[in-house]
Structure formats: structure tokens, C-alpha cells
Amino acid sequence: MTKKTNHVIRVAIQRPLYKLLDYNWDLSISACVGIRVKVPLGNAQITAIVVETNVESELQKLKSVIESIDEKSLFDDSMLSLLKWASRYYFYPIGEVLFHALPVALRKGRQLPKVQLWRANHIADSLGDEALKRSPKQYAMLQLLKEKECSSQELQNALGNNWKNILRELEKKGFVEQR
């Protein structure tokens, strides 16, 4: 007898196992294909990747997901379909394929690094241009941050390796804020 449940997910684990494992999803956020979750397996807690959501399980009693590690999928749709294809074509366990597509730190269950963004604040709109007449590099950075929020990589690409010092000076003056 098949039990219909809307909160059952199937996960792949990093083991030489050719089938997916079913777990109850009792968390407040919604399940998404491609996120990593902590699940109980025997006496241990392991990292798994959600492969299917809202499925039917043949089992009556399922263990629950402990926690969600990610908020968004680590794979886009084309990458996920490519990895599933590779698993079928090479007859290799889907969990092994998915985990080998991740960097080592993410395989071990570590969090994704948070991206820091900077932007110009309301003080910069009123005082920034006049206050930075003598600082062309600060002025250039401020104009860039007025146009859009920028990550550290974008600032380095636009302004070179000295971008941190320029940003620090703008923060001291109160013209930019971090998000």
C-alpha cells in the first residue's frame, strides 16, 4: 500500500548507493531540488542533496530531515539534468555524481560563503560629490556604488587592488554601507 504524503522528499547521499532515500520534510521553509540537508542515517547525521520533492513513499514510517543547509539550489536546471544523465549513462550512483560536482568544503556540509555587497547611502547622494573633489579614486568608487550594489570582486575589477583602502575611507566618511 502506497502512502500519499505531500511532505516527502528523496535525497541522494555520498555513498555507493544506486537508490534514493525518502525522508519527511517537517521544516518551515519549502523543499527545493538541489539543496543540501542534514539527515539521520543509522546512528549518524550526514549531508544529503534533495533530488525530488512531493513524492509518494512506499514506506509507512519515515525519519525526518534534521535541517536545511542551503536556501537555494546549488545546481541550475541544466547542470542538474546533465549530472542525472551522467549518472544514468555511466551507471554511477547519483549521490556520488552530485557530491563530486561540489567543492570539497560544500561536500563536508559547510555553509556557502556570504557575498558582501556595498552600496552608496543617502548621505552620499547629498554630500558625496562635493566632499570628494580632491579624491578621484573615492569619487569613482562612489559613482559606481551609486549606480548599483557591487561585490568585492566587482570593485576589484573596476578599481584595482587598492579598492579596500578606498572603500575604508568612504566608510569612515559615512558614504557607503555594507549589505
Side-chain angles (χ1 to χ4, degrees), residues 37-103:
V37 292
K38 287 272 188 210
V39 295
L41 184 67
N43 293 332
Q45 294 180 3
I46 62 167
T47 303
I49 296 176
V50 177
V51 178
E52 297 176 25
T53 60
N54 298 329
V55 296
E56 294 180 19
S57 179
E58 297 173 356
L59 304 172
Q60 296 294 323
K61 194 172 184 183
L62 296 174
K63 292 184 179 181
S64 295
V65 172
I66 298 168
E67 69 175 321
S68 173
I69 299 172
D70 304 310
E71 295 174 8
K72 296 182 190 175
S73 177
L74 298 175
F75 308 102
D76 60 14
D77 292 337
S78 62
M79 177 60 79
L80 197 57
S81 65
L82 174 67
L83 293 171
K84 286 180 179 180
W85 173 85
S87 172
R88 287 189 309 272
Y89 185 81
Y90 292 106
F91 198 65
Y92 201 73
I94 185 66
E96 295 280 341
V97 173
L98 291 174
F99 276 93
H100 280 82
L102 295 175

Side-chain angles (χ1 to χ4, degrees), residues 28 64 68 89 93 105 131 148 163 167 172:
S28 59
S64 295
S68 173
Y89 185 81
K148 64 175 187 159
W163 69 272
L167 183 67
K172 284 180 188 176

Side-chain angles (χ1 to χ4, degrees), residues 114-119 148-151 171 176-179:
K114 300 287 184 193
V115 176
Q116 297 174 336
L117 297 175
W118 287 275
R119 63 180 175 200
K148 64 175 187 159
E149 292 181 341
C150 293
S151 67
E171 284 178 327
V176 296
E177 58 190 30
Q178 182 181 352
R179 188 174 71 79

